Amino acid sequence: MMLKASAVALCLAASLSGVSAQTFQRLGTCPDLGCVIPPDQQDFLPGQEFDIRFEVHAPKNGSEAFNDGVPDEAFTATIAKDGEEAKSIADFFKHSEPELETWTFSWFEDLFAEAAKTPSVVNVASKAYRRVALYEPGDYTVTLKYYDGKTTTAKWTVRPLATQKRAKNVIFFIGDGMTTNMITAARLLAHQSVNGRYKSQLAMDDFPVIGHQMTHSIDTFITDSANSASALYSGHKSSVNAMGVYADSSADPQDDPKVETIVEMLYRIWGSAWGAVSTSFIADATPIALSGHSRLRSQYGVLIDQALNGVSNYSWTKTDGPDAYFGGGAEQFLPGSGSFQGKDYYAEFAKKGYSVSLNKTALLAAPNDQKALGIFCRSNLPVWLDRNIFPENLETLKNDPAGGSGPAKDLPGLKEMTVKAVEVLHARGGKKGFFLMSEGASIDKQMHALDYDRALGDLLEMDDAIRATIAKLKELGILDETLIVVSADHGHGFDVFGNSDTQYAAAQEDPRAKRDAIGVYANSGLSQYTQPREGVSYGTGANFPLNWDPRYVIAAGLGANPDHREMFGVGAKPRSPASIGADGEAYASASDRPGGFLVNGTLPTDQTQGVHSLTDVPVYAMGPCQETFGGTYNNIDVFYKMAACLGLGHGKNVTHGGGSQCKSKRAQL
């Protein structure tokens, strides 16, 4: 027996979503006292490697109290392919029987229990079977037996084989938080219409296939960027804050059952190159989930080390690190408290043969045949609107990627980073091809701040990057062999409902009278963002607004927001709509849009920003396999469509790429 943590401090609440309740759950994937992880209704690609964990819970108190808090340590587990005899997990996967683990965790059953500070305590007995795989398509039943007669079952499905590459390369653009409504608004701002018809359109509008994906996480219907990215990259949903794993109830956020991601499989099977580009810090959820395996997305240093060196605490697929890795987040690379074990990760990447760029000039000069790291600031890259329209906002920043006290200079945008990544990956991937993820991260971050103009500016930047990428693929002669997918990880409840006359609104002293400046229906008029204004020239090109500050601006809002003041139109400074008062509650910030009218919030009173929404999000596709992306489907299906197109579903162990240094325990049927 191996004893793990004695009491996990009250609630793993930030990292663990738990049982049949709503606000809190004992373990989201485990409605019974016996837990099979991966849980019921999960799909796998043939040959995709994963871990299995079984847990038996014994609550000591609360409404679920059972067996005096003593978990059944003699539980058994079997697996059977439909129509075949069940075998023990160890026999089926030819896996040695793992040691029994025990631990204790606590959780609150509901808000009343939290207010009273009366947690429910749960003792656990568990076993984990590491790095197994299923190769034969079909349905499987996993059965856990415990407590003399109690049973928990999980139905698993292995998808069809897909052994041939139809696309040599895949480029996956993710507009973080991007919805159809935002795309519509961005088109209105940047592209002129005459009599209701656009004279030009977004690059996305030219994609031949569009579908929609549902974004629910495994145990909540509102998702975050970590587990939604995990679903897109692995075909397996997870819990809020988790990536590349199914959340278990243990204390260690790094020991949860893992699932192999698309780049891990691509490198293991084909030896292809891979990369990630983001306008966020590179350890943020969307870019890091390509290689990350953790229940806590905030383990930034650990996750950067995983990207470079792979999972270190268990045998797992290695990718030899990304071939192109561009974004912000110098805190995880500079030696100190933000990096893993305090190491200098610029130096760690350099030791493994990477060129290291800290500005746009160095990035563009970096050799294409060498692995490339580009970290251009601390935290997130400044947004497109501040880099191009309000550059004075950059001067006061203290985000030098080298660790200095001044601002980052000579910043690349998403277009420059993505095009450079394509050049590097094409050179390094060669005949084996590549996978690239490019993220417009601050669409989401600025929607959280209710800064709609900055969010839409970053959406237009991503669309411009898509246009430039297509041109680069044509130049390289590889457009026809590259699948391009554009989608989002989740949405926000954003929409435009009219215009606002900024001059009239500014002239009104009565806050309620300011709302009379809003024009709806027939009074919404036409977009003035595409009309030139004397003395104003940004030099940002044909695919962006000619005037970000017209008299008549879009009137827009979110369905979920904190208390805030609204004065429609672009702000010269980034927004901070609400702040925490002396009583610990959030109120409209006095410094944000001080001349605006008050909008009462719809969120809990401790929330200072907008939150994600339930909406389905669009999926655009162009290139080989594009026809498979039409219709409405689950977010996990984006992975299965891309993986099938890349030929990643094999009926036997395939390591042509050399990405698997240790063989896993497998059931080859």
Side-chain angles (χ1 to χ4, degrees):
M1 181 186 302
M2 181 171 69
L3 183 64
K4 290 191 67 172
S6 52
V8 176
L10 277 183
C11 211
L12 292 155
S15 62
L16 179 64
S17 307
V19 99
S20 57
Q22 281 292 316
T23 304
F24 305 120
Q25 302 173 56
R26 174 169 38 82
L27 185 61
T29 56
C30 185
D32 303 313
L33 295 181
C35 313
V36 179
I37 311 173
D40 191 30
Q41 302 300 308
Q42 301 307 295
D43 289 9
F44 301 84
L45 202 66
Q48 183 178 24
E49 297 182 352
F50 64 100
D51 296 338
I52 305 172
R53 184 180 284 286
F54 298 100
E55 295 185 14
V56 176
H57 292 184
K60 293 178 64 177
N61 62 314
S63 65
E64 295 184 306
F66 186 81
N67 206 39
D68 294 325
V70 179
D72 182 2
E73 297 184 357
F75 64 83
T76 61
T78 61
I79 183 171
K81 190 174 188 293
D82 278 7
E84 299 182 7
E85 182 181 352
K87 296 182 180 180
S88 73
I89 300 296
D91 288 345
F92 186 87
F93 289 105
K94 299 179 176 58
H95 194 295
S96 60
E97 196 64 42
E99 291 185 60
L100 183 74
E101 303 172 61
T102 62
W103 63 79
T104 299
F105 72 91
S106 301
W107 70 293
F108 293 112
E109 291 194 7
D110 57 23
L111 291 170
F112 295 106
E114 182 184 45
K117 298 181 180 180
T118 55
S120 295
V121 178
V122 182
N123 292 324
V124 180
S126 176
K127 286 185 178 180
Y129 298 79
R130 302 287 180 183
R131 205 173 179 191
V132 301
L134 294 166
Y135 288 90
E136 188 173 305
D139 296 323
Y140 296 75
T141 300
V142 181
T143 304
L144 173 65
K145 295 183 178 180
Y146 54 103
Y147 291 138
D148 287 332
K150 286 186 176 293
T151 300
T152 298
T153 60
K155 298 286 188 181
W156 294 348
T157 297
V158 177
R159 298 274 185 120
L161 296 173
T163 59
Q164 300 299 314
K165 263 192 173 188
R166 293 180 59 193
K168 179 180 174 183
N169 315 303
V170 171
I171 300 177
F172 189 11
F173 285 94
I174 296 180
D176 201 305
M178 180 181 71
T179 64
T180 300
N181 295 354
M182 296 176 200
I183 294 169
T184 305
R187 185 188 302 116
L188 180 74
L189 265 61
H191 295 274
Q192 186 178 17
S193 65
V194 176
N195 294 326
R197 300 183 66 175
Y198 282 98
K199 297 175 68 176
S200 61
Q201 295 191 127
L202 299 167
M204 285 181 274
D205 294 330
D206 291 332
F207 277 53
V209 176
I210 183 171
H212 284 86
Q213 48 124 331
M214 299 170 277
T215 63
H216 316 49
S217 71
I218 199 166
D219 50 15
T220 60
F221 52 76
I222 304 296
T223 190
D224 81 323
S225 292
N227 73 89
S228 56
S230 188
L232 294 169
Y233 300 156
S234 73
H236 293 260
K237 292 176 180 285
S238 192
S239 302
V240 169
N241 291 321
M243 64 179 72
V245 300
Y246 284 95
D248 64 21
S249 69
S250 72
D252 184 356
Q254 307 301 330
D255 77 345
D256 299 52
K258 300 179 295 300
V259 290
E260 205 172 18
T261 71
I262 193 165
V263 298
E264 289 172 332
M265 297 187 74
L266 187 65
Y267 183 78
R268 173 171 61 81
I269 294 169
W270 300 116
S272 303
W274 69 278
V277 169
S278 179
T279 53
S280 70
F281 61 100
I282 202 68
D284 203 4
T286 305
I288 205 66
L290 281 168
S291 56
H293 299 276
S294 176
R295 192 175 69 234
L296 282 180
R297 60 184 286 180
S298 60
Q299 301 282 303
Y300 303 132
V302 173
L303 292 167
I304 289 294
D305 185 72
Q306 286 184 5
L308 180 62
N309 298 312
V311 172
S312 59
N313 54 345
Y314 298 99
S315 171
W316 195 248
T317 307
K318 304 293 185 183
T319 68
D320 200 33
D323 293 84
Y325 218 38
F326 306 148
E331 296 91 331
Q332 280 71 61
F333 293 84
L334 294 165
S337 60
S339 67
F340 182 61
Q341 297 180 346
K343 295 179 182 178
D344 180 342
Y345 269 78
Y346 290 136
E348 294 297 314
F349 273 74
K351 287 176 187 176
K352 292 209 165 185
Y354 285 79
S355 66
V356 178
S357 301
L358 302 185
N359 55 52
K360 182 171 72 172
T361 301
L363 173 70
L364 299 181
N368 292 335
D369 60 354
Q370 185 179 356
K371 286 186 175 183
L373 173 70
I375 302 299
F376 307 106
C377 61
R378 282 174 270 174
S379 189
N380 307 305
L381 267 71
V383 299
W384 184 92
L385 203 65
D386 289 327
R387 282 185 279 115
N388 292 276
I389 310 302
F390 301 110
E392 62 274 15
N393 289 337
L394 308 186
E395 296 302 318
T396 59
L397 298 177
K398 298 180 179 180
N399 61 346
D400 179 3
S405 60
K409 301 284 189 179
D410 190 20
L411 291 163
L414 188 63
K415 177 168 67 175
E416 292 88 359
M417 291 191 293
T418 304
V419 169
K420 181 64 176 182
V422 169
E423 293 173 344
V424 171
L425 294 173
H426 174 59
R428 292 189 56 77
K431 294 180 180 180
K432 296 179 179 180
F434 65 81
F435 181 97
L436 171 64
M437 189 288 300
S438 176
E439 182 199 20
S442 286
I443 302 169
D444 170 73
K445 297 180 190 304
Q446 298 305 308
M447 280 292 166
H448 277 295
L450 318 188
D451 205 331
Y452 312 128
D453 293 88
R454 283 177 170 77
L456 297 177
D458 271 43
L459 195 158
L460 290 170
E461 178 185 32
M462 189 180 81
D463 191 70
D464 198 41
I466 294 168
R467 194 183 307 274
T469 298
I470 293 171
K472 174 56 68 172
L473 295 172
K474 288 180 180 178
E475 176 190 319
L476 295 172
I478 57 173
L479 178 62
D480 291 343
E481 55 193 20
T482 302
L483 169 65
I484 306 173
V485 179
V486 182
S487 191
D489 50 352
H490 60 78
H492 288 258
F494 167 86
D495 209 348
V496 175
F497 48 85
N499 74 20
S500 178
D501 183 341
T502 58
Q503 291 184 14
Y504 184 85
Q508 308 309 305
E509 294 185 4
D510 180 4
R512 289 183 64 83
K514 292 178 182 293
R515 290 164 56 182
D516 293 334
I518 299 170
V520 298
Y521 296 114
N523 293 335
S524 63
L526 299 173
S527 171
Q528 291 192 337
Y529 293 85
T530 56
Q531 300 301 315
R533 178 180 170 188
E534 187 176 354
V536 175
S537 178
Y538 307 124
T540 52
N543 302 309
F544 294 90
L546 296 177
N547 182 10
W548 278 96
D549 193 21
R551 173 177 173 178
Y552 294 91
V553 298
I554 58 169
L558 290 177
N561 48 257
D563 291 350
H564 65 284
R565 288 182 177 83
E566 192 55 81
M567 177 68 82
F568 297 113
V570 67
K573 299 291 183 183
R575 292 198 71 174
S576 181
S579 55
I580 300 296
D583 60 358
E585 297 197 350
Y587 297 94
S589 176
S591 61
D592 183 73
R593 309 289 168 103
F597 56 88
L598 183 65
V599 180
N600 288 325
T602 56
L603 294 172
T605 56
D606 63 347
Q607 297 291 306
T608 61
Q609 292 195 329
V611 299
H612 301 169
S613 70
L614 178 63
T615 185
D616 293 351
V617 295
V619 184
Y620 298 84
M622 172 192 292
C625 309
Q626 65 184 32
E627 70 282 355
T628 66
F629 287 85
T632 302
Y633 38 84
N634 219 300
N635 54 3
I636 63 171
D637 290 303
V638 176
F639 163 81
Y640 289 107
K641 295 173 191 297
M642 293 190 299
C645 200
L646 286 168
L648 298 182
H650 289 257
K652 60 181 180 179
N653 177 30
V654 178
T655 56
H656 292 162
S660 182
Q661 285 78 12
C662 293
K663 289 189 176 182
S664 61
K665 307 297 181 179
R666 296 173 166 83
Q668 291 191 235
L669 304 177

